[in-house]
Amino acid sequence: MDATTLGTLLVGVGAVGAAVVAFLGKRGENALTGYSSLTEKLQTERDRLERQLAERDSRIDQMSTQHTADQAEISRLRALIPPGGQP
């Protein structure tokens, strides 16, 4: 094998190596982009669910207050009914 053939062979191997490195680098870049996108979607979903949970808790508090008021009104009305059930 003469020097020209060996040089050509080394350039070919170098080109294939560079192509492999570029391919793997692009795969890594795509994986990182996909991971970032997934992380952003998960954070958005988490924030939405936290808002829904806060709204639900607020509604439960309102309903609990209303329930307490209703129970007090029921007790007041029952006190108006004399024993034996005849008003």
Side-chain angles (χ1 to χ4, degrees), residues 1-8:
M1 209 187 279
D2 64 349
T4 305
T5 306
L6 184 59
T8 303

Side-chain angles (χ1 to χ4, degrees), residues 29-66:
E29 180 183 337
N30 289 343
L32 184 59
T33 301
Y35 177 76
S36 296
S37 176
L38 178 61
T39 302
E40 184 177 325
K41 287 178 184 177
L42 288 173
Q43 288 173 342
T44 302
E45 179 72 9
R46 180 201 62 209
D47 293 343
R48 184 181 64 81
L49 291 173
E50 284 178 347
R51 280 192 305 276
Q52 285 179 349
L53 187 61
E55 289 170 5
R56 188 203 67 188
D57 288 346
S58 174
R59 190 159 182 236
I60 287 173
D61 289 342
Q62 290 173 352
M63 293 174 104
S64 177
T65 301
Q66 183 64 42

